[in-house]
Amino acid sequence: MASSTLGDTKIEELVKMPLKEPVLVQGLPGLGYVGKVAVDYFIEKLKPKKIAELYSSFLLFPDGNLGINISEDGTYSLPKYELYAYNEREPNAIFLTGDAQPSVTGQYEVASLVLDYVQQSGVKMVFTMGGYGTRTSNDVGAVYAVVGDQAIGDRLKKLGARLAKGGAVTGAAGVILGIARQRGLQCAGLLGATTGVYPDLEAARAVIQMLTSLVGMPVELKALDSEIEDMRKKMEKFRRSEAEEPREGEEKTSEEDKGRYIT
Amino acid sequence: MASSTLGDTKIEELVKMPLKEPVLVQGLPGLGYVGKVAVDYFIEKLKPKKIAELYSSFLLFPDGNLGINISEDGTYSLPKYELYAYNEREPNAIFLTGDAQPSVTGQYEVASLVLDYVQQSGVKMVFTMGGYGTRTSNDVGAVYAVVGDQAIGDRLKKLGARLAKGGAVTGAAGVILGIARQRGLQCAGLLGATTGVYPDLEAARAVIQMLTSLVGMPVELKALDSEIEDMRKKMEKFRRSEAEEPREGEEKTSEEDKGRYIT
Amino acid sequence: MASSTLGDTKIEELVKMPLKEPVLVQGLPGLGYVGKVAVDYFIEKLKPKKIAELYSSFLLFPDGNLGINISEDGTYSLPKYELYAYNEREPNAIFLTGDAQPSVTGQYEVASLVLDYVQQSGVKMVFTMGGYGTRTSNDVGAVYAVVGDQAIGDRLKKLGARLAKGGAVTGAAGVILGIARQRGLQCAGLLGATTGVYPDLEAARAVIQMLTSLVGMPVELKALDSEIEDMRKKMEKFRRSEAEEPREGEEKTSEEDKGRYIT
Amino acid sequence: MASSTLGDTKIEELVKMPLKEPVLVQGLPGLGYVGKVAVDYFIEKLKPKKIAELYSSFLLFPDGNLGINISEDGTYSLPKYELYAYNEREPNAIFLTGDAQPSVTGQYEVASLVLDYVQQSGVKMVFTMGGYGTRTSNDVGAVYAVVGDQAIGDRLKKLGARLAKGGAVTGAAGVILGIARQRGLQCAGLLGATTGVYPDLEAARAVIQMLTSLVGMPVELKALDSEIEDMRKKMEKFRRSEAEEPREGEEKTSEEDKGRYIT
């Protein structure tokens, strides 16, 4: 079991899996939670094997603090990235999910270490999934793409994606695309238009569908809508319980959470 | 006398003490001052020997500045952690107290160096004590626990602790638990419910009692309440003198302190 | 092709060009965009060859985030400095342009690496171009100079520049001048008075003219005004289209941009 | 000529001077400018020789930016510390003045490097001069002391100083005292009570007098008041010119300065 370290950031490999030119698919918490919902759906459906965890002093909570996340059974863990590998069919894939984004200071270090690690497994293509801020709900369902080269841009346009024209992709989704392109990897960012609702399942669905079409991922598309319908119901139930025990409503969320934070 | 250094952080060992698998008990300034009051009570009652001090450029004042603390006699010192060791009975223990928390940037470095040091002395169990924010004073006296594994969780539940279900432990109490668990140490955080009164002696008492029951620490529980009653009186006196010479009242505290800060 | 690295900052050399004691001319985004407009004009007119790119984890967006810039065709790249070399006539020159400034933490590292690199090519003089905040539009057209020694100050005064008397030059323009002077290079900062209009073409023109006079740069001055007139028209057109599709107006800019940022 | 470097911080020695156990006297910009005014007075009267300059990427402007300071003749330099040595009579002394304080991140590094350097010259006593915030002008003229040991505290009390009882000394004055004490040097901080007027010449005079009495510095005390009277007149003149050309008045200062800052 190899382990890689860069500065304060460390990848601990749990299992070595033979992989044939896997694609890297990253989804992290961000706008509308689009990327994370999407990658977690792939992980749920394809049941890839967890191969590694990344820990870093740069993985902060959204409030800028460091600490541990508590599970429902009272156990806890440091914020982390998890890498899952899938090699049952082609293309092989490594899915990267996580419960935090690195601080600005750590974005390069964390993205560089992830790429160091997955390139050892033969990764030559990098996809990040995320949200694309829009103000009209008309746009929902649309996927905006940023691409490392025009060939992949053309393929995405044929599948219905719109190429982003200007602007910026900030955060972990942008930084890993930037560094990966510099390293000569093929890259694309698939960004579901979202008004920022949290989590935006419509936007995540659009991104999942786009990526599945692009790389031929064997995800059963038929099951997709009912899956999402289930998630939506869970969410509604979750929201309702919040409403009764008013704990994570709009304004109140942060205050409440602060109150519950333990120091 | 060994000394350990990591980055800008340094532990200076004052005396070498033979210890038999001591438990580490950490209490630092934080919510309601619960952790610090509790650890200082153990130190007062058990009279452990100071074995080491930790200094770090990351130990900041609450206002984010660096500097020195002035004692009542005009002498001063840099903010520091102090480690005290107890080996008269079993379990042996190392108590970690301090007058500051590390900045976010330094949390990993400081916690890692503390663990490096205490693991050399054979520490296999880590306890942190702190406060658990609650809004109802009904909850006061309750101890919430976060645990590294379910076995210790079960033991704590039998002793009356409630397992925290979700949320986060931020700051030094959380980070050392997170890293210690990764290193394979047994861990628990004991968090006294507090409305944030400062210092919250009720919450500290509940945490002290829980830890004493859990590890069989030979603290005279009979003396506990009168001790706390004394502390309470001192506090009231302290508060009264503040009221007369209005210096650390709610809003005014920070302003006053700023005025008194010397630059 | 040599590459230089310092901390998280890296210069990738694209082509090796023979240069004879070139002057370094730096213009980066800043007040009124004066420096960047000016250097980009030199690059447009003299058609120097791109010799190197600098990447750094310290090149942040103005909002303090890291990420990638998206081009009009959907491709993207990390924020970067670009270095262009000109050796057709004397003086030879290296032009430094970029789409971001380093964070405070990275200013020394980035400026030091730039100087390491250009000194290898024989640079002995460093010019930075920028804006000089003024509140009266009467001042527009004036060039304020800060100088490494009085000899160059005297030459600039003869050409009509005013020497700045006190104050500070902050950011990348100031830091590279400061370090270059410490290294014994000849230095001057040419700062066009600007009320901060964005981009301030008048201020940029004044700076271009001053530098051209000072070092005898073979830029066709006749063409300058019509060039700027064109740029002005483009800007007006750009502003008008903004007005119709209200996207980058005063207050709205930042909000809009935020909305478009992808995470 | 030796040069010392630590991280991004560098001391450049200009001249080597034989010194016999000099005392270090530090005065940097801070509350009421007390420390800087005082140290600059010693430098003006004793005419010590400049022996070294310290440069650091951590020496920031008060607004948190990096850059260069512009002199009245248009030349500039990076913010720096200057060290002056005096060996005509005993005690020999090294005076440390500067035009900036390090950022929080750099305080330890800068103070450590200063101490490394002066300890090579035999320094065994460290004095810092600064302001002590008070709200009543009755207190002006008083000197509060913080001390490394009670012996020096007793001597200072006999000279009329009051020992500070609690609180904190933040910033460069505190940090160097803290580290110097850890290194076993004799230390004291002399803090003139100030309501924060800028610069507070009364407070500076009190501190100068106290230090002169304590270590027997051959500063002509008779001349002191007329000197200060001169300084006061200069200040008044300076303030009057500000009033006419409203540039550095209370509220307006920062705005104006911002406007004048060049980027």
Side-chain angles (χ1 to χ4, degrees):
Chain A
M1 296 305 120
S3 274
S4 323
T5 302
L6 186 61
D8 276 333
T9 305
K10 192 170 53 171
I11 290 185
E12 289 181 7
E13 192 169 63
L14 307 172
V15 62
K16 194 95 208 161
M17 242 174 96
L19 291 166
K20 195 175 156 193
E21 280 202 18
V23 298
L24 175 67
V25 178
Q26 173 183 298
L28 290 169
L31 189 56
Y33 249 54
V34 175
K36 180 156 176 57
V37 167
V39 80
D40 285 352
Y41 180 81
F42 279 115
I43 292 169
E44 187 188 334
K45 299 307 289 179
L46 295 176
K47 302 194 177 12
K49 189 160 190 173
K50 178 143 75 156
I51 54 167
E53 292 181 345
L54 178 148
Y55 291 91
S56 173
S57 62
F58 297 116
L59 288 183
L60 306 185
F61 291 133
D63 68 355
N65 274 312
L66 264 173
I68 50 177
N69 284 308
I70 310 172
S71 304
E72 296 226 340
D73 64 355
T75 63
Y76 62 82
S77 61
L78 292 164
K80 60 179 178 291
Y81 281 5
E82 294 174 299
L83 291 104
Y84 291 83
Y86 172 83
N87 67 0
E88 286 178 30
R89 293 206 211 160
E90 294 194 5
N92 287 188
I94 295 176
F95 296 97
L96 169 53
T97 186
D99 45 21
Q101 286 228 359
S103 64
V104 169
T105 318
Q107 289 280 14
Y108 262 62
E109 179 171 311
V110 171
S112 298
L113 190 61
V114 166
L115 288 173
D116 289 352
Y117 178 75
V118 300
Q119 286 185 277
Q120 286 170 23
S121 300
V123 161
K124 298 208 168 65
M125 292 187 78
V126 173
F127 297 103
T128 62
M129 303 185 294
Y132 186 81
T134 183
R135 284 196 298 188
T136 73
S137 48
N138 296 341
D139 224 16
V140 171
V143 173
Y144 289 83
V146 298
V147 294
D149 60 275
Q150 297 199 336
I152 200 167
D154 290 341
R155 285 176 57 200
L156 282 164
K157 276 200 286 190
K158 277 180 196 154
L159 293 169
R162 304 177 194 170
L163 293 191
K165 303 179 179 187
V169 183
T170 57
V175 171
I176 200 168
L177 286 179
I179 298 175
R181 190 188 179 188
Q182 276 194 309
R183 294 186 178 191
L185 306 182
Q186 265 202 296
C187 299
L190 302 179
L191 308 156
T194 177
T195 55
V197 299
Y198 165 87
D200 193 333
L201 301 176
E202 305 276 340
R205 185 182 59 175
V207 165
I208 293 164
Q209 199 159 21
M210 182 65 65
L211 185 61
T212 304
S213 306
L214 183 71
V215 300
M217 205 75 80
V219 169
E220 292 185 20
L221 289 168
K222 288 184 213 162
L224 191 61
D225 281 316
S226 69
E227 283 286 330
I228 287 174
E229 190 59 29
D230 283 1
M231 287 172 78
R232 195 185 331 241
K233 277 176 192 160
K234 276 183 213 163
M235 280 301 142
E236 249 157 54
K237 199 171 142 194
F238 180 59
R239 281 206 197 96
R240 228 175 297 131
S241 70
E242 279 173 348
E244 287 156 24
E245 188 197 343
R247 254 203 72 197
E248 294 200 36
E250 281 292 40
E251 276 291 318
K252 285 167 189 168
T253 303
S254 55
E255 255 189 73
E256 282 283 338
D257 277 353
K258 238 181 208 162
R260 286 284 170 188
Y261 270 12
I262 297 148
T263 57
Chain B
M1 296 305 120
S3 274
S4 324
T5 301
L6 185 62
D8 276 333
T9 305
K10 192 170 51 173
I11 289 185
E12 290 179 7
E13 191 168 64
L14 307 172
V15 62
K16 194 96 209 160
M17 241 174 99
L19 292 166
K20 195 174 156 193
E21 278 201 22
V23 298
L24 176 67
V25 178
Q26 172 182 298
L28 291 169
L31 189 57
Y33 248 54
V34 175
K36 181 158 175 56
V37 168
V39 81
D40 286 352
Y41 180 80
F42 280 114
I43 292 169
E44 188 188 332
K45 299 307 287 180
L46 295 176
K47 301 194 179 11
K49 188 160 191 174
K50 177 142 76 155
I51 55 167
E53 292 180 346
L54 178 148
Y55 291 91
S56 173
S57 63
F58 297 116
L59 288 182
L60 307 184
F61 290 133
D63 68 355
N65 274 313
L66 263 173
I68 50 178
N69 284 309
I70 310 173
S71 304
E72 295 225 342
D73 65 355
T75 62
Y76 61 82
S77 62
L78 292 165
K80 60 177 179 293
Y81 281 4
E82 294 174 300
L83 291 102
Y84 292 83
Y86 173 82
N87 65 0
E88 287 177 31
R89 293 207 212 158
E90 293 194 6
N92 287 188
I94 295 176
F95 296 97
L96 168 55
T97 186
D99 46 20
Q101 286 229 359
S103 64
V104 169
T105 318
Q107 289 279 15
Y108 261 63
E109 180 171 311
V110 171
S112 298
L113 190 60
V114 166
L115 289 173
D116 290 351
Y117 178 75
V118 300
Q119 286 185 274
Q120 286 170 23
S121 299
V123 161
K124 298 209 168 64
M125 290 188 79
V126 173
F127 297 103
T128 63
M129 303 183 295
Y132 186 82
T134 183
R135 284 195 298 188
T136 73
S137 48
N138 296 341
D139 223 17
V140 171
V143 173
Y144 288 82
V146 299
V147 293
D149 60 274
Q150 296 198 333
I152 201 167
D154 289 342
R155 286 176 57 201
L156 282 164
K157 275 199 288 189
K158 278 181 196 153
L159 294 168
R162 303 178 195 169
L163 293 190
K165 302 180 178 187
V169 183
T170 56
V175 171
I176 200 168
L177 286 180
I179 298 175
R181 189 188 180 188
Q182 277 194 308
R183 294 185 179 194
L185 306 182
Q186 265 201 296
C187 299
L190 302 179
L191 308 155
T194 177
T195 55
V197 299
Y198 165 88
D200 192 333
L201 301 176
E202 304 276 340
R205 185 182 58 174
V207 165
I208 292 164
Q209 199 159 19
M210 181 66 65
L211 185 61
T212 304
S213 308
L214 183 70
V215 298
M217 204 76 80
V219 169
E220 294 184 19
L221 289 168
K222 289 184 211 159
L224 191 62
D225 281 316
S226 70
E227 283 286 330
I228 287 175
E229 190 59 29
D230 283 1
M231 288 172 76
R232 196 184 334 239
K233 277 175 191 160
K234 276 184 212 160
M235 280 302 141
E236 249 157 53
K237 198 173 143 196
F238 180 60
R239 280 205 198 96
R240 227 175 296 131
S241 72
E242 278 173 350
E244 286 156 22
E245 188 197 342
R247 252 203 72 196
E248 293 198 39
E250 281 294 40
E251 276 292 316
K252 285 167 190 167
T253 303
S254 55
E255 255 188 74
E256 281 284 337
D257 277 354
K258 236 180 210 162
R260 285 284 170 187
Y261 270 12
I262 297 147
T263 56
Chain C
M1 298 304 120
S3 275
S4 322
T5 302
L6 185 62
D8 275 333
T9 305
K10 193 171 51 172
I11 290 185
E12 289 180 7
E13 192 170 63
L14 307 171
V15 61
K16 194 95 210 160
M17 243 175 97
L19 292 165
K20 196 176 156 192
E21 279 201 20
V23 299
L24 175 67
V25 180
Q26 172 183 298
L28 290 170
L31 190 56
Y33 248 56
V34 175
K36 181 158 176 55
V37 168
V39 80
D40 286 351
Y41 180 82
F42 280 115
I43 291 169
E44 187 189 333
K45 299 308 289 179
L46 294 176
K47 300 193 180 11
K49 189 162 189 171
K50 177 144 75 157
I51 56 167
E53 293 180 343
L54 177 148
Y55 292 91
S56 173
S57 62
F58 297 116
L59 289 182
L60 306 185
F61 290 133
D63 68 355
N65 274 312
L66 265 173
I68 51 178
N69 285 307
I70 310 172
S71 304
E72 295 225 341
D73 64 355
T75 62
Y76 63 83
S77 60
L78 292 164
K80 61 178 178 293
Y81 281 7
E82 294 174 300
L83 291 103
Y84 292 83
Y86 172 83
N87 66 0
E88 286 178 30
R89 293 206 212 161
E90 295 194 2
N92 287 187
I94 295 176
F95 296 98
L96 169 54
T97 186
D99 46 20
Q101 286 227 2
S103 64
V104 168
T105 318
Q107 289 280 14
Y108 261 63
E109 179 171 313
V110 170
S112 298
L113 190 61
V114 166
L115 288 173
D116 290 352
Y117 178 76
V118 301
Q119 286 184 276
Q120 286 169 22
S121 300
V123 161
K124 299 209 168 62
M125 292 188 78
V126 173
F127 297 103
T128 62
M129 303 184 295
Y132 186 82
T134 183
R135 284 196 298 188
T136 74
S137 48
N138 297 340
D139 223 17
V140 172
V143 173
Y144 289 84
V146 298
V147 295
D149 60 275
Q150 297 198 335
I152 200 167
D154 290 342
R155 287 176 56 201
L156 282 164
K157 275 200 287 192
K158 279 181 196 154
L159 294 168
R162 303 176 195 172
L163 293 191
K165 303 179 178 187
V169 182
T170 57
V175 172
I176 200 168
L177 286 179
I179 299 175
R181 189 188 179 189
Q182 276 194 308
R183 294 187 180 192
L185 306 181
Q186 265 202 295
C187 299
L190 303 178
L191 308 156
T194 177
T195 55
V197 299
Y198 165 87
D200 191 333
L201 300 176
E202 304 276 341
R205 185 181 60 176
V207 165
I208 293 164
Q209 200 159 19
M210 182 65 65
L211 185 62
T212 304
S213 307
L214 182 71
V215 299
M217 205 74 79
V219 168
E220 293 185 20
L221 288 168
K222 289 183 210 159
L224 191 62
D225 281 315
S226 70
E227 283 285 330
I228 286 174
E229 190 59 29
D230 284 0
M231 286 172 77
R232 195 185 333 241
K233 277 175 191 162
K234 275 182 213 164
M235 278 302 142
E236 249 157 53
K237 199 173 141 195
F238 180 60
R239 280 205 197 97
R240 226 174 298 131
S241 70
E242 277 173 350
E244 287 156 23
E245 188 197 343
R247 255 204 71 198
E248 294 200 36
E250 281 293 39
E251 276 291 317
K252 284 167 191 169
T253 303
S254 55
E255 255 190 73
E256 281 283 337
D257 278 353
K258 236 182 211 164
R260 286 284 170 189
Y261 270 13
I262 296 148
T263 57
Chain D
M1 298 303 122
S3 274
S4 323
T5 301
L6 185 62
D8 275 333
T9 305
K10 193 170 50 172
I11 288 184
E12 289 180 7
E13 190 169 64
L14 307 171
V15 62
K16 193 97 210 160
M17 242 174 99
L19 292 166
K20 195 176 157 192
E21 279 200 20
V23 298
L24 175 67
V25 179
Q26 172 183 297
L28 290 170
L31 190 56
Y33 248 55
V34 175
K36 181 158 176 56
V37 168
V39 81
D40 286 351
Y41 180 81
F42 280 114
I43 292 169
E44 188 188 332
K45 300 308 288 179
L46 295 176
K47 301 195 179 10
K49 189 161 190 173
K50 177 143 76 156
I51 55 166
E53 292 179 345
L54 177 148
Y55 292 91
S56 173
S57 62
F58 297 117
L59 288 182
L60 306 186
F61 290 132
D63 68 355
N65 274 313
L66 264 173
I68 50 179
N69 284 309
I70 310 172
S71 304
E72 295 225 342
D73 64 355
T75 62
Y76 62 82
S77 62
L78 292 165
K80 60 178 178 293
Y81 281 5
E82 293 174 301
L83 291 103
Y84 291 82
Y86 172 82
N87 65 0
E88 287 177 29
R89 293 207 212 158
E90 295 194 3
N92 288 188
I94 295 176
F95 296 97
L96 169 54
T97 185
D99 46 20
Q101 285 228 2
S103 64
V104 169
T105 317
Q107 289 280 16
Y108 262 63
E109 179 171 313
V110 171
S112 298
L113 190 62
V114 166
L115 289 173
D116 290 350
Y117 178 77
V118 300
Q119 287 184 274
Q120 286 169 22
S121 300
V123 162
K124 298 210 168 63
M125 291 187 78
V126 173
F127 297 104
T128 62
M129 302 184 295
Y132 186 82
T134 182
R135 284 194 299 188
T136 75
S137 49
N138 297 341
D139 223 17
V140 171
V143 174
Y144 289 82
V146 298
V147 294
D149 59 275
Q150 295 198 336
I152 200 166
D154 289 342
R155 287 176 56 200
L156 282 164
K157 275 198 288 189
K158 278 181 197 153
L159 294 168
R162 303 178 195 170
L163 293 191
K165 302 180 178 186
V169 182
T170 56
V175 171
I176 200 168
L177 286 180
I179 298 175
R181 189 187 180 191
Q182 277 194 307
R183 293 185 179 193
L185 307 181
Q186 266 202 294
C187 298
L190 302 178
L191 308 156
T194 178
T195 55
V197 300
Y198 165 87
D200 191 333
L201 300 175
E202 304 276 341
R205 185 182 58 175
V207 165
I208 293 164
Q209 200 158 18
M210 182 65 65
L211 186 62
T212 304
S213 308
L214 182 71
V215 299
M217 205 75 81
V219 168
E220 294 184 18
L221 289 168
K222 289 184 211 158
L224 191 63
D225 281 316
S226 70
E227 283 286 330
I228 286 175
E229 190 59 29
D230 284 0
M231 287 173 78
R232 196 185 333 241
K233 276 175 191 160
K234 275 183 212 161
M235 279 302 143
E236 249 157 54
K237 199 172 142 195
F238 180 59
R239 280 205 197 96
R240 226 175 298 130
S241 71
E242 278 172 351
E244 286 156 24
E245 187 197 342
R247 254 204 72 198
E248 295 198 36
E250 282 292 39
E251 275 292 316
K252 284 168 189 167
T253 303
S254 56
E255 255 189 72
E256 281 284 338
D257 277 355
K258 237 181 210 164
R260 285 285 170 189
Y261 270 12
I262 296 147
T263 56

